[in-house]
Each structure stands twice: as C-alpha cells, then as structure tokens.
Amino acid sequence: MKQNKIGFFGGLDFVTLITALISSAYGLVLVYSATYSSLSDGSVISGGVRSMLVSVFAGIVLALILCNIDYEIISKLWPIIAAGCILLMIVTLIFGQAANPDRPDARSWLDLGVFTFQTSELLKVGFIISFSYHLDMVKDKINRLKTIVPLVIHGMIPIALVIATGDAGSALVFLIMFIGMLFFAKVHIGYFIAGICALIVGFAAAWRMDIINGLQRERITALFYPELYEDTLYQQTNGKIAMGSGGWFGQGFLNGSMTQSGAVPVNDNDMILSVAGEEFGYVGTMIVILLLLILTLRVLFTGLKARDNVGYLMCSGIAVMLFAQIFINVGMELSILPTIGITLPLFSAGGSSSICIYLALGIEMSVYRFSKSQSRALFYTS
C-alpha cells in the first residue's frame, strides 16, 4: 500500500513543542530578571541569558531533527549511545571541572573552550534509550530474579558514574528515573519493597559511617533543626521570603526587591521559582508549575498511545525524568528537601539542561509521529 510522506514539519506534536517553547520563553524572562542587576555597563543581556538563548535554539533544531527519525532506529543504536555516554563520563572524571568554587569535589563539567557542558545531562537521555531497550528485551520475563539483577546493574552504572563526579543531586534524579521506569515496565511490587528497604538500610549505614558528611550532612540535618543551621538554610529561607512577598500578582517585572538585590543566591538557576514568585506572584508561580505539568503529562500520554513497548518505555522515562527534576527543585525551594543543585526544566539557566531536555522531547515527538503513521517522518524503518 502506497504511503504519502508528510513534510519535515508534518505530523508534529504541537502540544509538546508549543508548551516547551512557552516554558523556555518564560524561563528566559525569569533568568533575565535574575541577572539584570548584575549587568555590566553597556551590556544588554547577561552571559547566562545569552547561553540559554543559544542552547534553546540548538535544542529546538535537534528536537525537530530527531522527531523526523524513527525512534526504533534511535533505540537500536543504544550500544553506541551508551558507550559514548560512558566514555564522556570517564573523560569528565579525569578532566572535569567544578562549577562552584565552594564544591571543588563536584567536577561534573567539561570545559569545551567555547562553553562548559554538564555531561550527566546527556547521560540521562542515553540512559532512557538504553534502559528502555533493555526493559523491552526482557518484558516477557521481567519479574524473574535473573532478569532483575542485570537491570539493577544497568541502573547502578550511571548512578555510580555521576556520584564519582561529585554530583549527588543528579544521582538522585537517576535513581528516581530507574525506579520509575521499572514501575512503568510493570515490575512486581515486591521488588520495590525490597529495594526501598535496601535504600533505607544503605542510607542509615552511610550516615552512621560518615560517608554522608560535610555540607551534605548539614543540609539534611538543617531541615529538622533549622534554628541551629540558619547559615545553611540562608538560600532556601530567602527564597521562600521572596516567593511569599510577591502576593497574588507579584511586585512586577524587574521590581522584585530581593531578586534585584541578589538576596537569593543562585536565583537564576536552582532558585528560579523565587523570581517567578516575587515578581509575578502566586499566579506567575502556578503558571510555571502548570506548564511543566502539561508537558510531563503530554509526554506520558504519548507513551500510553505508542505503537510498541519501546516507545511507551522511552516516553515513560522522559516523563519520570521531568517529574524527578521538578519534584526535587520545587521541594528544595520550599525546604521540603535539602538544598540540591538541580535545575527546573526549561526555566533555569543552564545550557546543558535545556539542550538535553529538548533532545528528550525530540524522542517523544518521534514516538508521537510514528505511532500515528510511519509515513509522517523522513527516516523510518520498513
């Protein structure tokens, strides 16, 4: 039967694309405001805004290219993708740099001359692809112990690599992604109970043996004894004050007193929600959450309608990744979780994060396009 191809932009998932573009545009506004008071004379935009503009543009282009390639082709390239990501992480372990001088042990960035790149962001996309393929290969015997053990080893490899670079926050995201993808693969609940028990015992042992120490230990303890760790909670406390001071509709763009005074550290990145809260109020904050909720649910629904198990698992992994980052970032900003350096997807400054999220969304849009019809893409399997 003859198939009529649709052009490069035909069959696009416009809900995902438009939601992502609106989110990025709003994020650029927030980052511009967060860095406005620190602009040098004669500068129109900060380096963070410039980097974000370039990364969003590059990410959109890559997403549009990916969505024209059959996701089955992408999934079958998993050995090359996985090997490339692991090699990149090993290079980071050797040559990586710390983004924060206060955390010289967190060497999770590669200096590429023109820009720096956080390799763990690309590893997230690579893990989603390789783990989805692995889960699909063993779907008929998913609940056998001899199947679970290799899956656990597969999941622990990226977590170990990220921990080795000193990026505990990203390691937590990988852990949630690993658990979430197992859940969507319909692994028996008993394995989750055993895994949770193992995590509790492991955390208690690491705490007891001072493996979790220094600043990380302080940040966790501060949540329970805030009066003893006011300095440790300075960023979170000021962030909550800034959000609360915005009221319903905020103090106005570029008029947030704490945003423009720099009272909230790293408010262009980890604490970007405080800018939305102070300058655009409760309404502006809820718009951020709503956009991210729409995006996450859209990716999940695309997976539920995928033509096969690989497409379903890939979209599930992307949705879990988005959820994990949103949950950790918002939880940190509200002092529900300790301070963790995780960006708010598409809103925080961070070129590595933006590009890799658009890469993931490109895969989701490929699943959307091909699940409707293979003829809707330029490159497809027969």
Side-chain angles (χ1 to χ4, degrees):
M1 183 171 154
K2 188 177 180 180
Q3 290 181 325
N4 296 318
K5 286 189 180 181
I6 296 178
F8 189 86
F9 295 100
L12 272 176
D13 181 359
F14 286 103
V15 174
T16 292
L17 183 61
I18 292 172
T19 304
L21 289 175
I22 294 172
S23 299
S24 292
Y26 193 2
L28 281 164
V29 169
L30 296 178
V31 173
Y32 178 81
S33 180
T35 57
Y36 178 74
S37 61
S38 61
L39 286 176
S40 56
D41 293 339
S43 297
V44 179
I45 59 174
S46 66
V49 175
R50 190 180 304 111
S51 173
M52 195 172 177
L53 277 168
V54 172
S55 62
V56 168
F57 177 78
I60 293 168
V61 172
L62 290 172
L64 291 174
I65 292 172
L66 273 181
C67 78
N68 276 278
I69 302 173
D70 191 336
Y71 64 91
E72 285 190 17
I73 295 176
I74 298 171
S75 69
K76 289 174 181 177
L77 291 175
W78 74 266
I80 298 172
I81 294 170
C85 288
I86 291 173
L87 179 62
L88 200 58
M89 291 302 296
I90 292 173
V91 171
T92 304
L93 283 172
I94 301 171
F95 301 105
Q97 298 182 356
N100 188 345
D102 295 331
R103 289 287 312 280
D105 59 315
R107 296 177 293 103
S108 55
W109 295 79
L110 278 182
D111 187 352
L112 302 178
V114 180
F115 60 91
T116 56
F117 188 80
Q118 190 173 10
T119 51
S120 60
E121 296 294 336
L122 188 60
L123 183 64
K124 291 174 188 174
V125 182
F127 174 69
I128 289 169
I129 295 169
S130 65
F131 201 51
S132 294
Y133 197 86
H134 189 169
L135 287 168
D136 182 64
M137 285 194 302
V138 298
K139 63 182 177 182
D140 295 329
K141 46 187 176 180
I142 190 71
N143 286 308
R144 297 179 186 176
L145 184 60
K146 64 180 181 180
T147 299
I148 294 295
V149 172
L151 286 172
V152 171
I153 293 172
H154 190 156
M156 292 303 106
I157 290 173
I159 293 174
L161 287 170
V162 171
I163 289 176
T165 64
D167 190 357
S170 291
L172 179 58
V173 173
F174 275 101
L175 179 62
I176 296 173
M177 289 168 61
F178 168 66
I179 294 171
M181 291 183 72
L182 288 178
F183 173 81
F184 282 106
K186 301 178 177 62
V187 169
H188 192 276
I189 189 66
Y191 289 113
F192 290 104
I193 295 172
I196 290 170
C197 291
L199 285 173
I200 293 172
V201 171
F203 180 83
W207 188 273
R208 183 78 175 177
M209 297 167 63
D210 283 336
I211 295 173
I212 300 174
N213 53 31
L215 185 58
Q216 291 177 344
R217 195 183 186 95
E218 279 187 19
R219 286 173 171 176
I220 296 171
T221 307
L223 295 179
F224 302 96
Y225 303 99
E227 68 281 358
L228 301 178
Y229 294 92
E230 292 183 2
D231 291 343
T232 304
L233 291 173
Y234 175 82
Q235 182 185 35
Q236 289 168 293
T237 300
N238 281 13
K240 288 187 294 183
I241 293 172
M243 279 191 279
S245 67
W248 281 98
F249 300 104
Q251 299 175 15
F253 181 54
L254 302 181
N255 289 322
S257 56
M258 297 187 74
T259 295
Q260 300 308 320
S261 67
V264 183
V266 203
N267 64 348
D268 63 327
N269 197 294
D270 300 348
M271 303 297 292
I272 195 68
L273 204 61
S274 69
V275 180
E278 184 176 37
E279 298 200 339
F280 299 106
Y282 177 79
V283 173
T285 303
M286 291 311 298
I287 289 174
V288 173
I289 302 300
L290 181 61
L291 285 167
L292 291 172
L293 178 62
I294 291 171
L295 189 63
T296 304
L297 290 177
R298 179 63 175 186
V299 172
L300 187 58
F301 289 154
T302 296
L304 292 173
K305 294 180 179 180
R307 73 183 184 203
D308 57 23
N309 195 47
V310 169
Y312 160 74
L313 290 168
M314 283 176 133
C315 287
S316 299
I318 295 166
V320 173
M321 177 187 73
L322 291 170
F323 168 79
Q325 292 193 207
I326 296 164
F327 176 77
I328 293 172
N329 181 275
V330 175
M332 178 267 296
E333 295 206 45
L334 297 178
S335 295
I336 298 171
L337 296 174
T339 301
I340 303 173
I342 294 296
T343 58
L344 190 62
L346 301 179
F347 283 90
S348 297
S352 307
S353 176
S354 292
I355 288 178
C356 292
I357 286 172
Y358 273 105
L359 279 175
L361 294 179
I363 294 172
E364 179 272 338
M365 289 192 288
S366 173
V367 174
Y368 174 87
R369 170 174 282 189
F370 277 95
S371 293
K372 294 181 72 175
S373 169
Q374 285 193 352
S375 64
R376 290 183 179 273
L378 300 181
F379 306 100
Y380 58 94
T381 58
S382 58

